[in-house]
Amino acid sequence: MPSATYAITGGTGFVGSQLLKELLEAGHLVIHIGRQNSLVNHPNLKWVQADLGSAFNVTEELRGVSAVFHLAARAHVMRETAKNSEELYRQMNTEATRMLAEQAANAKVKHFVFLSSVKAVGEESSRFAWRENTQPAPPDIYGVTKLEAEKSLKEICGSSSMTFTILRSPLVYGPGVRANFLSLIKAVDNGIPLPFGRTKNRRSIVARKNLTSALRMCADNPNAKNKTYFVSDPHPLSTAQLIKAVARALGKRPLLIPFPVFLLKALGVVTFKSAQVNRLTNNLELDISAIQRELGWKHPQSTADALRETAAWYRSLQNEGQTDQRQISNK
């Protein structure tokens, strides 16, 4: 018999698909709420079709659920093209969270676990690592709407019997990663010179399995009730250290150019890419002692192991591509 019933949004996403898998492997009954069905076929998995980007009502489907994992969101978009982007962010991140939390509270769900973002606080930690009491100053509409969602959730739980846990995550990596992290892997693998040999910044990142471990613990640990936590791998890395670690995982030698950081920033201004340069040269360090101390959370995967797993996935993609190319050539 399933040991608990959980609901999850974002179950087809990068983090959500891993969390969904882990919940099912643990023997839980899982209700996946979203526009698309999960590719997982499991007797303990039920799909509830709902478009969180518009009006929806899943109150009845949430009755009997122990906890909701809310991971669905409109993620940070590097090259925004939508004319109504602010409206889209607010609908998907702020309003969808508010509506889901209200419906969960009305359905008497006991606990609501919300995956927020470090962007709800800001983008640069300066000299000191951020703690949970750091004053938020979100830099963009993504961060603003994540912070709005956090506030809405707290208000709803404050006027109901439902409790919450908010996890603020930095960049997540692991098998299946896309966007900038995948671009970095490709650059290192192809031996492209990278001008970060002198960067000594401190940035926190989190392996996907470490994040899902923390999410599951927040649903089950009574000490997590009505708390907000930062979560990351235990040790921050400079951009240069990350590149070296990725290279080791790939079995490559990194080509790091000792380019002065102040010149990198100047080039960022000239090329209108200051935001990208700052993300690679500034600090974004998180203090995760609270979740470790209060919940007893321990990361199940080291950064080195997680990068090796990611590198193996990347190699498998390459092998699949080569196989496909050979099949095309043979036709």
Side-chain angles (χ1 to χ4, degrees):
M1 293 293 291
S3 57
T5 301
Y6 295 116
I8 180 174
T9 70
T12 58
F14 176 53
V15 178
S17 59
Q18 177 67 29
L19 178 61
L20 181 66
K21 175 185 175 184
E22 292 175 7
L23 291 173
L24 291 171
E25 288 177 347
H28 299 299
L29 180 64
V30 181
I31 299 172
H32 170 224
I33 301 170
R35 285 180 296 180
Q36 296 179 329
N37 194 4
S38 169
L39 296 177
V40 176
N41 185 15
H42 196 284
N44 285 353
L45 178 62
K46 176 184 177 182
W47 174 41
V48 173
Q49 189 172 22
D51 183 359
L52 302 187
S54 59
F56 64 92
N57 193 330
V58 293
T59 305
E60 291 304 314
E61 288 82 356
L62 290 174
R63 296 195 188 280
V65 168
S66 299
V68 170
F69 293 96
H70 181 37
L71 280 65
R74 188 172 200 265
H76 183 69
V77 179
M78 296 298 297
R79 295 177 179 86
E80 185 62 74
T81 58
K83 294 181 179 180
N84 60 336
S85 62
E86 184 169 329
E87 178 184 339
L88 294 174
Y89 275 111
R90 187 149 278 122
Q91 175 59 43
M92 190 64 195
N93 295 349
T94 306
E95 290 304 310
T97 302
R98 179 189 59 78
M99 293 172 64
L100 184 64
E102 287 179 343
Q103 292 166 25
N106 290 335
K108 304 301 180 184
V109 172
K110 296 178 181 178
H111 196 62
F112 195 105
V113 181
F114 176 48
L115 181 58
S116 186
S117 168
V118 67
K119 290 277 192 141
V121 180
E123 200 155 35
E124 181 184 354
S125 62
S126 189
R127 292 174 56 196
F128 303 104
W130 281 343
R131 295 182 176 180
E132 284 73 11
N133 60 359
T134 298
Q135 186 64 32
D140 54 26
I141 187 61
Y142 172 71
V144 167
T145 54
K146 279 292 190 178
L147 185 61
E148 290 174 349
E150 290 184 10
K151 292 177 178 178
S152 293
L153 177 58
K154 291 177 181 179
E155 291 172 359
I156 291 165
C157 290
S159 59
S160 70
S161 60
M162 187 171 70
T163 55
F164 71 87
T165 308
I166 296 168
L167 277 186
R168 290 169 172 167
S169 165
L171 182 149
V172 187
Y173 67 98
V177 71
R178 300 294 177 184
N180 289 342
F181 205 93
L182 180 57
S183 297
L184 176 64
I185 294 174
K186 290 179 178 178
V188 173
D189 189 44
N190 292 327
I192 295 175
L194 299 170
F196 302 107
R198 290 190 181 180
T199 57
K200 297 180 179 180
N201 56 333
R202 296 171 63 84
R203 294 190 72 85
S204 294
I205 57 178
V206 62
R208 180 172 62 166
K209 287 183 179 178
N210 290 343
L211 178 54
T212 55
S213 166
L215 285 163
R216 288 187 289 111
M217 178 167 280
C218 288
D220 298 330
N221 194 317
N223 293 331
K225 292 180 179 179
N226 299 328
K227 296 291 184 65
T228 299
Y229 293 113
F230 283 122
V231 61
S232 73
D233 291 355
H235 305 295
L237 299 172
S238 69
T239 300
Q241 288 173 327
L242 177 59
I243 290 169
K244 291 176 183 178
V246 169
R248 282 194 297 271
L250 291 167
K252 294 278 187 172
R253 292 186 63 180
L255 190 52
L256 278 166
I257 309 301
F259 206 74
V261 174
F262 77 92
L263 287 180
L264 279 175
K265 290 181 177 289
L267 284 173
V269 172
V270 172
T271 58
F272 302 101
K273 293 184 178 181
S274 288
Q276 293 93 320
V277 172
N278 289 339
R279 273 190 287 272
L280 292 166
T281 57
N282 291 344
N283 295 332
L284 186 55
E285 184 179 1
L286 308 179
D287 183 337
I288 60 171
S289 60
I291 192 171
Q292 293 172 323
R293 181 181 64 253
E294 296 178 12
L295 304 189
W297 179 73
K298 297 179 181 179
H299 61 285
Q301 193 172 43
S302 69
T303 301
D305 285 345
L307 287 174
R308 278 193 289 269
E309 189 178 54
T310 307
W313 161 80
Y314 171 73
R315 289 293 185 221
S316 70
L317 285 185
Q318 290 183 310
N319 293 336
E320 289 175 6
Q322 291 171 358
T323 300
D324 292 342
Q325 189 61 45
R326 285 195 296 269
Q327 291 175 345
I328 293 172
S329 299
N330 292 332
K331 288 182 178 179

